[in-house]
Amino acid sequence: MTASSDTRPSAPPTGRYGGRSDQEADRRLKLVGGVLAVLLVALVAWLGGSYLLRETKLNGTVPTFQIVSDSEVQAQLSVTKSSGTAGTCTIRSQAADGSVVGQLDVQVPKAGSSFVQVVTIRTTARGTTAELLGCTPTK
């Protein structure tokens, strides 16, 4: 018997382990990553743009409120809006335990670029807050 002194590794048989090289796999991975990154940036831009467009049409706040009685809360609604935009703003009142005790939808007229009104929210129990849930433009 003769011993072989050649210890270099032999190349794997051709076709046994697939045809793709590491460079080709890296290229494909970079391409998929790039496409996903572009889609993510497009999604963020679309969501941000729609938020800004919606917010610039009708923005409201409740700067002050006053508890009038166990069944009424008065709130000042202040809205800035694009001229010619009408909509609805929803204000709610909560009790000390966090339960909703009253809610009111206020119609905002088309005229002007601002709207301020003191509204009375009827409550089922003593309200401790008055907060604006949001304003929605009329379509």
Side-chain angles (χ1 to χ4, degrees):
M1 272 209 216
T2 60
S4 170
S5 64
D6 189 13
T7 59
R8 8 174 233 176
S10 62
T14 57
R16 179 178 258 184
Y17 298 106
R20 284 195 199 141
S21 68
D22 286 341
Q23 291 174 345
E24 185 180 335
D26 287 347
R27 253 182 281 146
R28 184 169 282 176
L29 187 60
K30 287 178 185 178
L31 179 65
V32 168
V35 168
L36 290 176
V38 167
L39 289 174
L40 179 65
V41 168
L43 176 68
V44 168
W46 179 72
L47 289 174
S50 66
Y51 175 78
L52 289 175
L53 287 174
R54 182 178 59 232
E55 287 299 311
T56 57
K57 288 184 180 178
L58 202 61
N59 291 326
T61 61
V62 175
T64 62
F65 69 90
Q66 179 179 352
I67 295 138
V68 178
S69 68
D70 286 345
S71 61
E72 286 185 350
V73 174
Q74 281 188 344
Q76 179 183 352
L77 174 63
S78 178
V79 178
T80 56
K81 61 189 189 71
S82 301
S83 186
T85 301
T88 304
C89 294
T90 303
I91 305 172
R92 79 171 173 192
S93 180
Q94 292 179 302
D97 64 358
S99 62
V100 176
V101 293
Q103 186 166 315
L104 179 67
D105 288 335
V106 180
Q107 297 299 317
V108 178
K110 279 186 176 184
S113 60
S114 66
F115 174 76
V116 177
Q117 183 177 0
V118 176
V119 296
T120 300
I121 306 165
R122 304 252 182 236
T123 60
T124 57
R126 186 168 185 83
T128 59
T129 65
E131 65 179 332
L132 179 67
L133 293 180
C135 294
T136 307
T138 304
K139 295 185 179 192

